[in-house]
Amino acid sequence: MGRLPKEPGLYVHVPFCRGKCAYCGFYSVSDWRAMSAWGEALLREADLYRDRFHRFDTLYVGGGTPSVLPLEDLRKILSGLRERFSFAEDAEVTLEVNPEDVTRDSAFFWREEGISRVSVGVQALDDACLKTLGRRHTSRRALEALETLRRAGFANLSVDLMWGLPDQSLSGWLETLGAILAYSPEHCSCYELTLEEGTPLTAMVKAGRLQLPDEETACEFFERTSDFLKSRGYIHYEISNFARSEALVSRHNMKYWRHGPYLGLGPAAHSFDGRRRWANVSSVREYGQNLSDGRAPLDFLEELTPGQLRLETLLLGFRMHEGVPVAAVGQEETPNAALSRAVAEGLLELRDGTVVPTRKGWLVADSLPLLFSP
Amino acid sequence: MKHIRNFSIIAHIDHGKSTLADRLIQAAGLVDAREFRDQILDTLDLERERGITIKSNTVTLPYTAPDGRRYALNLIDTPGHVDFSYEVSRALASCEGVLLLVDASQGVEAQTLANLYAAMEHDLVVVPVINKIDLPSADVDRVKEEIENELALDADHAVLCSAKEGIGIDDVFQAVVERIPPPRGDSEAPLAALVFDAQYDSFRGAVVACRVFDGRIRTGDRIRMLSNGAVYKVEEVGVFRLKREPRPVLEAGEVGYIIAGIKTVSDVRIGDTITLDDRPTARPLPGFRAVKPVVFSSIYPVSSDDYASLQDALEKYKLNDAALVYQKDSSAALGQGFRCGFLGLLHLEIVQERLEREYDQSIIMTIPSVQYRFTLESGETVTVENPQYYPDPASIKATEEPYIRASILCPERFMGAVMKLCTERRGENPRFSVPGPGRVEIVFDMPLAEVIYDFYDRLKTVTQGYGSFDYEMIGYRPSDLVKLDILVNGEKVDALSLIVHRDRARPWAVQVCDRLKEEIPRHQFKIAIQGAVGGKIIARSTISPFRKDVTAKCYGGDITRKRKLLEKQKKGKKRMKMVGSVSIPQSAFVAVLKTDKE
Ligand SMILES: Nc1nc2c(ncn2[C@@H]2O[C@H](COP(=O)(O)OP(=O)(O)OP(=O)(O)O)[C@@H](O)[C@H]2O)c(=O)[nH]1
Ligand code: SF4
Ligand SMILES: [Mg+2]
C-alpha cells in the first residue's frame, strides 16, 4: 500500500467503565477481568498495522473510560504503541477521563506519560441530573477534577457537557456553561442528549417518565449555546464543538470530519484509510480471540465508491464551520439548482469558494446532503 | 355440428350466472367434489374477493341427453356489472343463444334489459330462466309478468330453477339443446375464426380464444391474422374445460383456443379474424364495435425507470381486457405514462388492481375525468378528457359535460339522505317511484363527473349499504367548467390538474390541499400548496419546515451508519416525485383520490 495522503490519527478504544450510564450507546463493559488480556491484544493488533501505518500526529485514547486503566497498564500501552509507531514531535495526545478518576497522582502520572490534552466527562453540574444520567460523580467532584488537572499543568483541557436533558431549563444550562467557563477550558463539547436505542434512558422517555425538550426548545438551546460561547471568545467549529482558537480545535476529531485517515485499535474501533473503512468486533472476548488466532478482529470492511465518498464528504463537511469546497456539491445541473435553493432558504452560504452551513442549516445538517442527491 | 351448442349466460349482476354455471359444470362431471369451489369459473383473485364476475369465461361441457344423444355445450359465463358489458357483447358474438337469467325475487333490472338488447342485436335465441326460486321472497308470477311486459318475451316457457339448490338443472340442459339452435358453418370452407378473447402466457405466448365459424384448424397449420397479415404456425389447439385441453382439431361451430407461439402481443387483436395462410377466407368476420370509454385517467409508473415495463404490462393486459383503451401521455411531475379510457369506475379500479397484482406494476393513477365538450369562439367543437389539453380559456364560447340518468333503489327511510346526496352532486329534476312496499326508486339527472369519483361509496354510507345505483348516459348538457390547477411552491403539479364545475372547484381544491399537507413530509423549507383557477388562488395550505434533525455526535463509528441512513433516504427520495425541489411521495397522489370517510 502506498503512502497515506495525510498524516493519520491513532485511536485507542478502552472498553471499560465503572458502570453503565443510562444514556450510553458506546461499546463498554464494567467487568474488568479481561482488562490485561485486552491490553495485550491491543498491542498485538497494533503489530498487524505496523507495515501500513508508520507515523501519526494525533493519538486519542477514548472509550469507555480510559481513566479507569491502572496507571501501569496505561504506561505499557502507551510505550507499546510508541515502540511500534512513530508520533510527530508536536502530536496531540488526548486522554478521556471521568471526574471520579482524577486525583493529584493520576493527573501527574498522565502528564509524565506524555498526555497533552485531557477531555473530561463532566456532562452536567446538577447532582439530581447526574444521578438520572447514571453518572458516578457529583458536580463538586467534576469541578475539583478540572482544578486538579490544571494544577498538574495541563494546558489543553476539554470539557464534555450535555444539553437537552430531562427537566433541564435553558437558564440552568447556561449557568452550567458559565460555571465551567470559570475554568477557562481550551475546548468544550456541548452535545445534545441523543436517545440511543436500547438504553434505560430511552426506555424511560418512551414510557413517558421523562420528558425531553421539543423541537423549538432544542433549537433554542442550540442557538443560545452557540451565542453564549461565541460571546466568550470560543469558535463554534463543529456542530457540538467549540475551541478557544483555531489551534485548539480537536486535531484528532478533525480527521474524522475532514475525511482524513485514522487507525482505530481496540474493540468496536473504526478505521479509515482514505478509501476503505473497517470496524472491529464489539466484543472484548471475540476481539482477544481473533488476535490470539493471529487474525484481524474485523466486524466489517467496506471499500467506498466515489459516490459514497462524495456523500460522506458532504455529510461530514456540513457539520463543520469550514464547510465543503463548492466543487463537492456543484458539478452537475441538479446540485447547482439545489445549491441556489439552499442558499435562498438560508441553509447554506457561499464563502470564498466553499459552501458553508448557516446556523439554520446546521440544525438540519443530517439531511443537507440529500439536497444534493440526484 | 348438430351436437354443438354455443350459449352465454347473461343477466343483471348477482342474479346467479356463475352459480348456474357451477351446477352445469358439476352435472357434466367436469370436476370432482374435492376440486370444486363455488363460482368455479371466477378464477381471478379479484373476482373471488369481490364475489363478482369480471371476465367472461368459456367452458366446454359434455352432455348426454335423456334420449342418449351426446352434445358438446360451449357455455360462456359473463359478468353482470355494466362496466364489463364489453365482455358480454364479445361473448355473444360466438353464440347462437343465451340463457337470460332473472332473479326470482329481484325481477328484471337494468342490465337484464341491456343484455337482452345486446343478445337481440346478435339475433340470438333467448331462453328466459328464472333463478333463485328457492328464496322465500321469490315471486315467480310477478317476475313472469315482468318478463312478458318489460322484456316482451314469452314467459310461459321460462325455465324455473334454483342454481344454488340445484333445482331445475335438467330443464336448463334440455332447454339449451332443444331451444338453442346448433351452429351453422362449413367445415370445408376456408378457415374463419373470430378472436373474442386472449390471455398472455409467459411460456407459450398469446393463448387466443376463438369461435370457428368456417373451416377447421389443426396443429401445424400456418395461420394468418387478417388485420395485419402476421403469420404463425399453430402449436396447439383445444377447448376450455376449466383447464386447457388440447384437441387434434377445431372445426366450424366450435369454441376453443389456439396457441401459436405469438410473442408479439400486438399481432393479436380482439375481433380479428384468423384464417389459413395458404387458403385465406375472402370474408373477414364482422368483429366488434369499438369500445366507448366514459372515464379517463392517466397511469404512471411510480419509478420512471419502470415505464418500459409498464408499457409491456399494459400490452399484455389489454389482450385479456379488450375494453381498456390507452395511449401515451406525459406529465412534468410524473414523467411518461399512459392516458387510459375505462368503461366505468369499477373497470378503472379493476385495471389498477390487476396491473398491480398480476403484472407486478407499481403505478400512480391520476384523478379520473369524463369527456368534456367545448365550443370555441371559432365555432369549432372539441372534446377534452385530459386537463392538459384544456383549451385557452379566452377561446371558449360554451362548455358542456356528459349527464346520466341516475337511478337509486333503496329502502324508503333513506330517501331523504339520498336526495341530499344527489342534490349536493348537482342532481337535477328529481323524481321517484315506489316499485314495492317500503322501497323507493329515486331518479336524478346528474353530471357523470359527479359519480365517477366517490359517489358510490358515499351512497353506500348514507344508505347503510342498502342503496343500489345504476345509470345510463343521457347526453351532453351546458355547464360552467373551469380548470383547477394545484401548485406546490408555485410549481404546477400537472398530474393533479382537473376540469371541474366552477361551483365544485373550491371544495375540491381545499380537499386536495389538505390531503397533500398530510402526505408530503416536512422539508427543510416551507412548502406552500395552492389550488388555483386561472390566476386566482382559491385554496391553500402550508407545510411548515422541520427545523432540526442534526445528531450531536459524528465520530469514527458513526460515519458509516450515517452514510447508510442517507443512502436509504436517497433511495426513498428517488421513489418520490420531484416538483421543483419538493419531493412528493406516491402516497400523496393516491391520497388525493381517497374518498372522504365522514
Ligand atoms: N338463494 C339462492 N341464491 C343464489 C342462487 N343462485 C345464486 N345465488 C347467490 O347469489 C349470489 C350471486 O351469485 P353469482 O352466481 O355470483 O351471481 P352472478 O350473476 O354470477 O354475478 P356477477 O357475475 O357478479 O354478475 C351468490 O351469493 C349466490 O350464492 C339461487 O338459486 N338461490
Ligand atoms: S462513562 Fe462514558 S462510555 Fe462509560 S458508560 Fe458512561 S457514557 Fe458510556
Ligand atoms: Mg358471475
Side-chain angles (χ1 to χ4, degrees):
Chain A
M1 216 181 72
R3 282 278 298 159
L4 293 166
K6 290 170 227 157
E7 245 168 356
L10 179 61
Y11 175 77
V12 170
H13 190 75
V14 184
F16 303 102
C17 293
R18 292 189 184 277
K20 198 76 192 161
C21 304
Y23 56 89
C24 175
F26 292 114
Y27 176 66
S28 71
V29 295
S30 32
D31 177 353
W32 295 359
R33 278 173 299 179
M35 203 182 266
S36 59
W38 160 83
E40 283 158 28
L42 188 84
L43 293 180
R44 221 171 277 146
E45 191 192 7
D47 284 334
L48 297 179
Y49 294 102
R50 282 176 88 157
D51 298 339
R52 289 157 62 186
F53 291 83
H54 307 285
R55 194 180 145 89
F56 298 101
D57 68 351
T58 64
L59 169 62
Y60 196 104
V61 185
T65 316
S67 54
V68 301
L69 285 180
L71 302 179
E72 256 328 291
D73 289 23
L74 180 62
R75 170 180 287 152
K76 247 190 251 165
I77 287 163
L78 290 175
S79 60
L81 292 173
R82 288 192 180 107
E83 276 162 29
R84 287 162 176 81
F85 304 110
S86 79
F87 291 86
E89 192 82 355
D90 59 345
E92 173 194 271
V93 181
T94 306
L95 181 73
E96 268 182 359
V97 308
N98 268 353
E100 64 269 30
D101 299 321
V102 179
T103 61
R104 262 188 58 197
D105 288 352
S106 62
F108 191 74
F109 176 87
W110 294 331
R111 281 264 319 134
E112 288 286 283
E113 285 304 313
I115 303 293
S116 63
R117 184 172 177 271
V118 177
S119 166
V120 192
V122 172
Q123 315 306 0
L125 288 180
D126 170 334
D127 286 344
C129 191
L130 285 168
K131 205 156 180 196
T132 313
L133 294 176
R135 301 291 296 179
R136 293 159 297 278
H137 58 85
T138 58
S139 65
R140 215 179 113 194
R141 184 73 210 247
L143 296 177
E144 279 168 13
L146 294 179
E147 187 77 47
T148 309
L149 288 164
R150 277 288 187 230
R151 286 231 186 88
F154 282 103
N156 192 351
L157 288 184
S158 176
V159 176
D160 273 8
L161 294 168
M162 291 204 286
W163 57 262
L165 301 174
D167 298 327
Q168 185 184 41
S169 67
L170 184 54
S171 57
W173 159 242
L174 293 177
E175 252 168 58
T176 300
L177 261 185
I180 291 297
L181 290 200
Y183 296 83
S184 308
E186 283 65 34
H187 188 274
C188 263
S189 298
C190 301
Y191 298 112
E192 179 186 15
L193 171 68
T194 307
L195 291 180
E196 300 286 347
E197 221 33 67
T199 59
L201 195 86
T202 302
M204 285 197 277
V205 172
K206 275 190 184 156
R209 286 167 47 210
L210 290 178
Q211 262 218 314
L212 299 188
D214 60 16
E215 186 181 88
E216 272 313 303
T217 318
C219 290
E220 214 183 331
F221 265 89
F222 180 81
E223 285 159 1
R224 295 289 296 276
T225 304
S226 179
D227 288 343
F228 183 74
L229 285 170
K230 276 166 142 177
S231 75
R232 304 288 290 264
Y234 286 82
I235 304 168
H236 191 173
Y237 72 99
E238 196 263 357
I239 304 232
S240 307
N241 287 285
F242 301 83
R244 277 222 107 88
S245 74
E246 290 286 356
L248 290 169
V249 302
S250 167
R251 276 157 54 196
H252 182 81
N253 288 339
M254 284 301 278
K255 292 190 193 298
Y256 299 132
W257 301 322
R258 282 187 175 153
H259 236 179
Y262 47 90
L263 174 65
L265 301 177
H270 283 61
S271 307
F272 180 61
D273 70 5
R275 238 169 4 105
R276 289 175 302 180
R277 182 174 292 108
W278 62 94
N280 286 342
V281 291
S282 295
S283 151
V284 180
R285 200 186 50 76
E286 270 182 65
Y287 174 78
Q289 190 63 53
N290 271 301
L291 285 162
S292 48
D293 295 349
R295 262 181 289 126
L298 290 195
D299 178 29
F300 72 81
L301 181 146
E302 57 180 4
E303 172 127 17
L304 302 183
T305 64
Q308 289 176 320
L309 282 169
R310 183 168 162 243
L311 187 62
E312 288 194 355
T313 305
L314 297 185
L315 90 83
L316 295 168
F318 289 145
R319 297 185 66 88
M320 297 184 292
H321 78 325
E322 65 183 35
V324 296
V326 74
V329 299
Q331 292 130 336
E332 297 145 39
E333 203 27 58
T334 358
N336 265 328
L339 180 57
S340 329
R341 175 92 210 190
V343 170
E345 294 292 343
L347 300 171
L348 295 173
E349 275 169 13
L350 271 175
R351 206 183 293 150
D352 304 333
T354 53
V355 182
V356 298
T358 61
R359 197 155 72 182
K360 188 174 163 196
W362 248 349
L363 282 166
V364 293
D366 278 18
S367 55
L368 282 179
L370 286 177
L371 292 177
F372 302 98
S373 67
Chain B
M1 211 183 315
K2 269 197 337 246
H3 297 147
I4 298 174
R5 296 293 182 273
N6 297 311
F7 69 101
S8 295
I9 309 180
I10 58 175
H12 191 80
I13 191 164
D14 267 356
H15 282 200
K17 299 173 290 295
S18 303
T19 308
L20 179 60
D22 283 349
R23 295 296 89 78
L24 300 177
I25 288 166
Q26 280 179 311
L30 226 56
V31 57
D32 61 34
R34 227 171 4 95
E35 287 167 287
F36 180 78
R37 50 182 191 173
D38 282 340
Q39 286 94 33
I40 195 166
L41 290 180
D42 290 345
T43 45
L44 297 177
D45 288 346
L46 271 172
E47 292 180 315
R48 306 209 64 83
E49 280 166 28
R50 297 182 181 226
I52 58 167
T53 303
I54 292 164
K55 280 291 301 167
S56 283
N57 231 320
T58 307
V59 60
T60 302
L61 305 174
Y63 171 69
T64 309
D67 61 8
R69 266 188 269 210
R70 305 172 119 189
Y71 293 87
L73 309 183
N74 294 314
L75 170 165
I76 305 182
D77 177 32
T78 65
H81 194 283
V82 56
D83 279 15
F84 310 118
S85 53
Y86 200 59
E87 289 287 314
V88 183
S89 69
R90 295 197 331 275
L92 296 179
S94 45
C95 294
E96 278 73 42
V98 295
L99 299 181
L100 177 64
L101 243 59
V102 184
D103 185 312
S105 127
Q106 300 291 327
V108 169
E109 296 190 71
Q111 284 310 110
T112 319
L113 206 63
N115 286 331
L116 170 66
Y117 289 157
M120 283 167 33
E121 251 175 62
H122 284 88
D123 275 333
L124 304 186
V125 170
V126 177
V127 178
V129 177
I130 300 176
N131 184 35
K132 307 200 188 181
I133 56 167
D134 61 295
L135 285 177
S137 56
D139 185 349
V140 174
D141 290 338
R142 191 195 95 227
V143 172
K144 277 191 170 175
E145 237 167 74
E146 288 178 5
I147 290 177
E148 296 265 350
N149 298 339
E150 293 176 38
L151 304 182
L153 292 174
D154 175 10
D156 288 343
H157 295 101
V159 182
L160 303 187
C161 78
S162 161
K164 193 166 170 202
E165 302 299 329
I167 302 165
I169 302 304
D170 288 339
D171 298 341
V172 174
F173 273 120
Q174 209 176 339
V176 169
V177 297
E178 286 175 6
R179 289 161 66 180
I180 295 176
R184 283 181 310 227
D186 181 359
S187 291
E188 305 310 323
L191 175 68
L194 175 69
V195 178
F196 67 87
D197 201 358
Q199 188 176 3
Y200 194 81
D201 178 308
S202 42
F203 298 108
R204 312 217 49 189
V207 179
V208 178
C210 63
R211 156 77 194 262
V212 182
F213 281 89
D214 279 322
R216 54 171 68 89
I217 179 169
R218 299 190 160 80
T219 305
D221 284 347
R222 283 169 63 80
I223 50 168
R224 187 197 298 175
M225 308 303 201
L226 266 191
S227 66
N228 69 350
V231 173
Y232 288 94
K233 191 157 159 252
V234 175
E235 291 173 3
E236 182 181 315
V237 298
V239 296
F240 298 102
R241 295 191 55 169
L242 297 180
K243 293 191 251 326
R244 296 198 295 260
E245 200 171 281
R247 287 286 159 87
V249 62
L250 283 182
E251 297 217 26
E254 289 187 301
V255 172
Y257 68 87
I258 301 171
I259 293 174
I262 308 173
K263 302 266 165 142
T264 309
V265 176
S266 56
D267 283 345
V268 179
R269 308 227 172 122
I270 307 301
D272 200 359
T273 303
I274 293 182
T275 189
L276 289 184
D277 191 37
D278 55 7
R279 196 183 162 219
T281 179
R283 287 177 298 123
L285 298 164
F288 305 116
R289 70 189 150 80
V291 263
K292 270 226 212 90
V294 290
V295 178
F296 302 83
S297 162
S298 297
I299 298 184
Y300 292 94
V302 169
S303 157
S304 317
D305 303 344
D306 294 335
Y307 174 74
S309 151
L310 176 59
Q311 179 166 31
D312 183 55
L314 270 173
E315 242 185 16
K316 288 175 179 159
Y317 174 78
K318 187 175 159 65
L319 272 188
N320 200 236
D321 182 1
L324 174 71
V325 295
Y326 65 90
Q327 65 187 62
K328 289 197 163 115
D329 193 11
S330 72
S331 137
L334 299 178
Q336 280 193 293
F338 299 91
R339 188 70 181 171
C340 302
F342 309 90
L343 289 185
L345 257 205
L346 180 61
H347 184 213
L348 176 151
E349 222 178 293
I350 297 295
V351 171
Q352 173 178 15
E353 293 222 14
R354 288 187 66 191
L355 282 173
E356 281 172 353
R357 295 188 195 193
E358 295 170 34
Y359 295 86
D360 216 15
Q361 300 294 309
S362 307
I363 55 176
I364 294 174
M365 293 191 85
T366 61
I367 305 154
S369 171
V370 300
Q371 198 157 38
Y372 295 101
R373 208 149 71 182
F374 297 89
T375 308
L376 306 181
E377 293 293 350
S378 64
E380 194 192 344
T381 306
V382 292
T383 54
V384 175
E385 43 78 11
N386 188 339
Q388 284 194 45
Y389 303 121
Y390 190 79
D392 173 9
S395 73
I396 301 173
K397 198 158 118 196
T399 61
E400 290 169 293
E401 64 178 316
Y403 266 67
I404 56 167
R405 176 159 303 125
S407 65
I408 291 142
L409 213 56
C410 67
E412 59 191 10
R413 65 179 186 282
F414 298 118
M415 191 166 163
V418 170
M419 296 292 254
K420 181 163 172 277
L421 173 66
C422 291
T423 315
E424 275 167 20
R425 298 299 172 104
R426 295 192 283 136
E428 297 164 14
N429 188 19
R431 51 237 189 248
F432 72 94
S433 58
V434 182
R439 295 176 65 74
V440 285
E441 184 183 15
I442 303 162
V443 178
F444 270 92
D445 296 349
M446 246 200 294
L448 174 63
E450 292 291 337
V451 302
I452 60 167
Y453 169 57
D454 64 347
F455 180 77
Y456 197 55
D457 290 324
R458 296 282 301 126
L459 177 70
K460 285 274 172 214
T461 311
V462 304
T463 61
Q464 294 165 16
Y466 287 104
S468 70
F469 164 64
D470 228 318
Y471 68 89
E472 60 182 303
M473 307 286 286
I474 54 173
Y476 279 81
R477 291 193 182 175
S479 180
D480 184 7
L481 301 171
V482 293
K483 181 179 176 219
L484 170 68
D485 290 314
I486 302 296
L487 299 100
V488 169
N489 270 357
E491 301 233 15
K492 203 183 284 177
V493 189
D494 56 1
L496 294 179
S497 293
L498 183 70
I499 302 174
V500 63
H501 189 270
R502 188 179 299 279
D503 295 345
R504 307 285 282 159
R506 215 188 94 80
W508 177 262
V510 168
Q511 177 175 327
V512 173
C513 289
D514 288 351
R515 292 265 163 87
L516 289 179
K517 181 182 165 137
E518 276 167 37
E519 294 294 329
I520 299 175
R522 293 200 293 164
H523 280 51
Q524 292 105 331
F525 42 83
K526 187 166 115 182
I527 302 169
I529 304 165
Q530 297 166 314
V533 167
K536 205 170 147 233
I537 306 298
I538 57 170
R540 71 174 77 233
S541 66
T542 319
I543 301 174
S544 57
F546 64 81
R547 286 205 51 204
K548 177 173 163 300
D549 67 2
V550 64
T551 42
K553 293 190 184 183
C554 187
Y555 299 99
D558 305 310
I559 301 174
T560 299
R561 192 155 43 121
K562 267 220 159 70
R563 189 197 70 238
K564 287 199 168 141
L565 183 67
L566 276 172
E567 284 170 341
K568 207 172 117 199
Q569 290 170 329
K570 262 175 80 166
K571 257 206 206 114
K573 198 175 152 186
K574 245 199 164 144
R575 289 175 59 87
M576 299 218 192
K577 302 297 174 183
M578 294 301 292
V579 171
S581 47
V582 179
S583 321
I584 305 184
Q586 179 211 8
S587 62
F589 291 92
V590 178
V592 163
L593 285 178
K594 255 206 234 112
T595 56
D596 240 344
K597 358 139 173 74
E598 300 158 41

